[in-house]
Amino acid sequence: NADDAKAQRIEIGLDERSHRAQSVPGEGAAELMGPALTVYNNETFSEQDFQNITNTGDSGKRKDASKTGRFCLGINTAFHLGDCILLVTGSRMVAFDPSRRFFPEPLLVEFGPNSHQFADQYPDFCLPFLEYGI
């Protein structure tokens, strides 16, 4: 996915910290407050790439031979490393939680100048992402 977004840099790390979990979107989300495997790249997904990744298994990339993600393996492979994937790109955050263990409802958050309600309501949950400029 970083390749499809034309990222020049990717960083993979292990955040061994545990963060406060009093203001999180649901009881299950408290389990996600650390430690965590983090992956960062220096590009934002295009609107089309965002739509493709959120429609896992039904990617529009299949018809585009220039897209690395055309095989739908990227996000699916990540589930070998964890049960829930939080993707933040540009002003959006989406949770991939197929078992609904952490979030009873799908989580898609739009951040922006007039949409800080989620961050205001769940500051503990959003704090770790602030280090990446969210």
Side-chain angles (χ1 to χ4, degrees), residues 9-89:
R9 190 175 87 229
I10 186 167
E11 298 173 15
I12 300 171
L14 177 61
D15 183 349
E16 297 185 66
R17 301 173 296 168
S18 291
H19 300 278
R20 195 172 100 145
Q22 291 185 353
S23 58
V24 295
E27 291 178 28
E31 292 182 57
L32 301 174
M33 298 308 293
L37 179 65
T38 61
V39 180
Y40 166 83
N41 74 67
N42 65 329
E43 282 298 329
T44 301
F45 283 8
S46 69
E47 178 62 29
Q48 187 60 55
D49 284 340
F50 184 79
Q51 293 302 318
N52 288 341
I53 200 166
T54 56
N55 292 312
T56 304
D58 186 27
S59 174
K61 295 179 182 182
R62 288 184 192 169
K63 299 174 187 128
D64 187 346
S66 70
K67 296 288 189 178
T68 305
R70 69 186 177 277
F71 301 111
C72 302
L73 296 176
I75 197 73
N76 292 327
T77 302
F79 286 109
H80 290 283
L81 303 173
D83 296 327
C84 183
I85 298 163
L86 297 172
L87 169 71
V88 179
T89 183

